[in-house]
Amino acid sequence: MSGVTSTWTEPSNSPVALLLLGHGTDPASERGVDCPGDLPAPSDPGLVARATAAKAALGDRVFVLGHHYQRDEVIQFADVTGDSFKLAQQAAARPEAEFIVFCGVHFMAESADILTKPSQRVILPDLAAGCSMADMAVLGQVETAWEHFEDLGITDQIVPVTYMNSSADIKGFVGRNSGVVCTSSNAKRALTWSFEQGSKVFFLPDQHLGRNTAVLEMGFDLDDCVLYDPHKPHGGLTGEQLRNARMILWRGHCSVHGRFTIDSVREVRERVPGVNVLVHPECRHDVVRAADYVGSTEYIIRALDAAPAGSAWAVGTELNLVRRLALAHPDKQIMFLDRAVCYCSTMNRIDLPHLVWALEELVAGRVPNVITVDEKTAREARVALDQMLALP
Ligand code: 13P
Ligand code: SF4
């Protein structure tokens, strides 16, 4: 809109030193691996032209998917942008594309591999783009928990549900135990289906999405939920607590959304009278409870598109998306819920140099950074993913 200046102001920098994004690895905390070959320099002024040329040379052979948390420099090359659910659907709907370049994180690329044909190859431009939440549930830990539930004789009542933000082997566990995958845009439907199959849900790995959906959308009490801590014997729970629980929540969370606090909500309400607080359901329960609106990234985009000019919004989700929305709607006052920087560092691993590198490798006839899920895991995970895609 001409003549209108955006009200967006950058949040202040975090006092914590960050890894230089897109460079180096941190094997202690991420699936860090270096890219084979030469990465273009981030300062290369020809990067946009190189990505454009490589993509044009590949034509319909390549399909680029971009999650909403990706950087602007990357999202401009996405054929489709979306939340985790939409991207899973889109990956499944492109059987003609030889290469799916996934600008997102590792678990999303794994799901795309599971949902695409064996001849299609899914490429993650930087293999260090993992997800700290997905890494909080490891298959061995989950199987130990399940064995304990078997000892208690309660597994026939339990339906396992895993958030899309989990590794393929966790999805495989859920598939072979007749459960379902969910995303932030269909969690209520997935839980409704699950409670038609059994009387308890074992929800992995995001305690907040599980609790927020059960309590705020399905009418459960907080007391119906127990928190299973994989680092404590028997999850830190008694047999009686597990027998009485309706929702057994895995102790996992998103390190980005976990940052928003009830104080951020209070502070913005004091500072901006009439502000609408809009948050992602990965935020903590008290934050979601105090917010005016809650939903997936796709929901957040739609809500701001539909908001009247002049309205004020404090948005509790990843900063790349909030900034993009603020700049796209200069007639609305859109701000970040927290005053400090809150990027998802692993989403940010995918930058333009990595995208250019991946596309140019494909043009040269080499297929880099292929994400492959082994056949057995893929078959079992697909049961849980297909169940999600078939939810009423
Ligand atoms: P959605 O895009 O499904 O809302 O998920 C957010 C997220 O954290 C993805 O990692
Ligand atoms: Fe994982 Fe949170 Fe980043 Fe999403 S925003 S990829 S859940 S760490």
Side-chain angles (χ1 to χ4, degrees):
M1 186 186 285
S2 63
V4 182
T5 313
S6 169
T7 53
W8 174 252
T9 32
E10 287 293 323
S12 51
N13 277 323
S14 161
V16 181
L18 296 175
L19 269 182
L20 189 55
L21 294 172
H23 293 269
T25 57
D26 181 8
S29 63
E30 293 174 351
R31 301 165 200 259
V33 280
D34 283 320
C35 291
D38 288 333
L39 269 186
S43 57
D44 180 342
L47 286 177
V48 169
R50 284 171 65 175
T52 308
K55 204 161 169 251
L58 291 161
D60 290 344
R61 296 173 66 206
V62 72
F63 188 58
V64 181
L65 296 172
H67 187 268
H68 293 309
Y69 293 163
Q70 291 287 296
R71 300 158 179 259
D72 288 350
E73 68 189 38
V74 167
I75 217 83
Q76 65 181 318
F77 291 103
D79 293 309
V80 170
T81 60
D83 63 6
S84 311
F85 182 66
K86 183 171 162 193
L87 294 180
Q89 281 179 317
Q90 286 293 321
R94 296 289 157 161
E96 69 285 356
E98 207 177 319
F99 309 117
I100 307 280
V101 173
F102 212 117
C103 299
V105 289
H106 192 269
F107 69 79
M108 297 179 180
E110 279 187 330
S111 297
D113 181 53
I114 293 164
L115 292 168
T116 48
K117 288 195 307 184
S119 58
Q120 294 181 285
R121 268 159 324 155
V122 177
I123 291 135
L124 186 64
D126 185 347
L127 294 176
C131 164
S132 54
M133 177 202 285
D135 290 347
M136 287 177 198
V138 176
L139 182 62
Q141 298 172 323
V142 173
E143 284 175 338
T144 301
W146 196 252
E147 279 160 24
H148 180 54
F149 303 159
E150 267 165 356
D151 291 344
L152 292 172
I154 55 173
T155 41
D156 57 344
Q157 302 161 37
I158 304 179
V159 179
V161 179
T162 191
Y163 189 23
M164 181 68 103
N165 303 23
S166 56
S167 59
D169 56 10
I170 299 291
K171 293 186 180 82
F173 163 86
V174 167
R176 68 178 169 270
N177 288 292
S178 310
V180 64
V181 174
C182 76
T183 69
S184 52
S185 54
N186 62 19
K188 183 180 177 190
R189 282 189 289 138
L191 285 190
T192 303
W193 175 85
S194 301
F195 281 111
E196 285 160 9
Q197 322 301 311
S199 57
K200 293 179 194 295
V201 161
F202 179 32
F203 195 92
L204 300 148
D206 185 11
Q207 57 167 302
H208 300 303
L209 179 66
R211 187 182 293 109
N212 289 331
T213 311
V215 175
L216 300 175
E217 295 199 50
M218 315 253 319
F220 286 99
D221 285 333
L222 279 175
D223 288 345
D224 293 321
C225 307
V226 291
L227 193 59
Y228 183 97
D229 184 342
H231 301 292
K232 291 187 178 158
H234 298 161
L237 296 166
T238 64
E240 198 191 349
Q241 284 175 310
L242 285 164
R243 278 195 199 90
N244 292 340
R246 304 294 307 281
M247 288 288 290
I248 304 170
L249 303 169
W250 190 260
R251 194 181 187 114
H253 67 276
C254 167
S255 41
V256 176
H257 292 90
R259 180 178 182 104
F260 300 110
T261 62
I262 189 81
D263 287 342
S264 335
V265 179
R266 288 196 191 111
E267 192 272 333
V268 78
R269 287 203 193 280
E270 268 169 37
R271 191 161 45 89
V272 187
V275 69
N276 298 282
V277 177
L278 168 58
V279 301
H280 193 278
E282 287 174 17
C283 290
R284 294 148 54 131
H285 187 64
D286 55 351
V287 171
V288 172
R289 211 175 247 287
D292 301 303
Y293 304 94
V294 54
S296 73
T297 53
E298 198 76 12
Y299 172 91
I300 289 171
I301 292 169
R302 281 199 308 269
L304 292 177
D305 284 349
S311 56
W313 295 81
V315 187
T317 197
E318 207 266 355
L319 182 58
N320 276 316
L321 175 58
V322 182
R323 184 207 278 117
R324 189 150 56 238
L325 287 168
L327 297 177
H329 296 288
D331 58 331
K332 303 166 197 175
Q333 193 187 349
I334 297 175
M335 67 210 85
F336 193 52
L337 177 56
D338 193 274
R339 286 194 157 203
V341 167
C342 195
Y343 288 106
C344 172
S345 61
T346 48
M347 281 276 180
N348 264 291
R349 287 277 185 171
I350 314 290
D351 57 6
L352 195 48
H354 282 86
L355 181 60
V356 167
W357 170 78
L359 292 172
E360 288 183 349
E361 285 291 292
L362 291 175
V363 173
R366 296 181 291 268
V367 188
N369 290 9
V370 179
I371 301 299
T372 315
V373 178
D374 72 81
E375 228 174 90
K376 176 176 179 293
T377 306
R379 199 174 47 248
E380 292 175 339
R382 191 170 180 132
V383 172
L385 279 162
D386 282 345
Q387 182 56 60
M388 173 188 82
L389 294 172
L391 283 171

